[in-house]
Amino acid sequence: MISVSILNADFGHLAEACAMINRSRADWFHLDVMDGVFVPNISFGLPVVESVKKLAEKPLDVHLMIVDPDRYVEAFHKAGADWLTVHYEACTHLHRTVQHIKSLGMKAGVVLNPHTPVSVLEDIIGDLDMVLLMSVNPGFGGQQFIANTFDKVGRLRRMIAEKQSHALIEIDGGVDLGNIQPLRTTGVDVFVVGSFIFRSSAPEETIAALKQRP
Ligand code: DX5
Ligand code: ZN
C-alpha cells in the first residue's frame, strides 16, 4: 500500500493535491504533524487535518511527531484520523496511549526513530495495528533513506510472526522507485512516500508506478 505524505505538497493548493490523491491508486493520506519540540520543524496541526478529512476519500494515516501525544489523541480522533501513530520516544506510558487510541475506534501505530531498536516493542507488539519504522530522522521530507532499515524490517517481521501479531509494517522517509521493490520483498506492507511523488512532473503516474509489481 502507498500512503502519500502531503508534507511536500503545495499548501496553497492543498485541495488539488487531495483531489490528485483521491484519483490516484494511492491507498492512504499520510499527515505529518510536527510541534517544533520533538522534531526541529513545525508543519501543521488540527485545522489542516480537519480540512483534509473533508476532501479525502481515503483513510487518514496521521503521524504525530509531538511530545506527550496522549494529550491530543481525542482531538485527532475528532479531526478525522483513522490511523494514529505515536512515537515510542515521545510516550512515557505507551501502553496507556495505545489503549486510548484503540478505545476511540482508531487503529493504533507506534513509530520508531532510526536509532531505536525494534526489540523495545516486544511486550506491546500484540496490541499494535501497525509499526512505523522511520527510514530518515523525522522532521523533514526529501531526506536520504537510511540503509540499516532493511535489517530492521527483517527483525520486526520475525518478531511479528513470533508473537502472532497482526501489526502492519510501514516505512517512512526516502522511499522511491529505486528501493520500493527490495523493501517489499523484505516484508514492508505500507510505504509512506512524499517528495518523490510531489517533485515528479506527473504525480498520479508516479503513484501508479510505485504500486506496480515487477
Ligand atoms: C518525515 C516525515 C515523512 C516525510 C517523508 O519526518 O515523517 O512522512 O514526509 O517524505 P519523503 O518521502 O520526502 O522522505
Ligand atoms: Zn511521516
Side-chain angles (χ1 to χ4, degrees):
M1 289 194 283
I2 301 288
S3 189
V4 180
S5 165
I6 62 161
L7 188 63
N8 276 76
D10 177 353
F11 288 160
H13 297 91
L14 202 47
E16 283 169 31
C18 292
M20 181 281 290
I21 297 169
N22 285 335
R23 278 194 316 269
S24 79
R25 291 184 59 202
D27 299 276
W28 296 346
F29 284 69
H30 184 84
L31 304 184
D32 290 302
V33 176
M34 305 181 187
D35 65 356
V37 179
F38 181 70
V39 287
N41 193 12
I42 300 174
S43 56
F44 51 78
L46 292 157
V48 172
V49 176
E50 271 169 38
S51 298
V52 171
K53 185 67 180 180
K54 288 186 193 131
L55 299 166
E57 293 161 6
K58 298 174 182 185
L60 298 197
D61 164 29
V62 178
H63 174 191
L64 296 184
M65 282 160 275
I66 64 175
V67 294
D68 199 6
D70 205 57
R71 295 172 298 156
Y72 291 99
V73 167
E74 268 166 48
F76 280 101
H77 173 57
K78 287 203 184 100
D82 298 286
W83 291 75
L84 196 61
T85 53
V86 295
H87 270 261
Y88 167 81
E89 301 86 0
C91 295
T92 312
H93 301 287
L94 184 61
H95 183 271
R96 179 182 292 152
T97 304
V98 165
Q99 299 310 326
H100 189 184
I101 294 170
K102 293 185 6 170
S103 73
L104 295 170
M106 292 180 285
K107 299 284 190 186
V110 171
V111 196
L112 299 182
N113 274 335
H115 73 276
T116 305
V118 296
S119 57
V120 298
L121 297 179
E122 254 171 39
D123 289 292
I124 198 163
I125 193 76
D127 296 310
L128 302 182
D129 298 306
M130 184 158 74
V131 176
L132 171 50
L133 297 179
M134 288 309 302
S135 39
V136 298
N137 284 293
F140 304 93
Q143 301 182 81
Q144 206 189 339
F145 183 86
I146 298 171
N148 179 53
T149 313
F150 277 95
D151 283 356
K152 268 178 108 163
V153 173
R155 271 179 268 132
L156 182 56
R157 211 6 97 217
R158 285 193 288 281
M159 186 198 294
I160 285 172
E162 226 168 74
K163 302 276 182 181
Q164 295 174 355
S165 157
H166 65 271
L168 297 175
I169 300 181
E170 186 179 41
I171 284 274
D172 188 1
V175 175
D176 59 23
L177 270 176
N179 56 21
I180 194 163
Q181 284 307 335
L183 282 165
R184 185 178 275 155
T185 311
T186 317
V188 176
D189 301 297
V190 187
F191 296 90
V192 177
V193 191
S195 51
F196 186 71
I197 290 169
F198 286 103
R199 285 178 190 166
S200 72
S201 53
E204 213 180 314
E205 283 77 2
T206 302
I207 293 169
L210 288 161
K211 286 284 288 187
Q212 210 71 46
R213 280 176 181 272

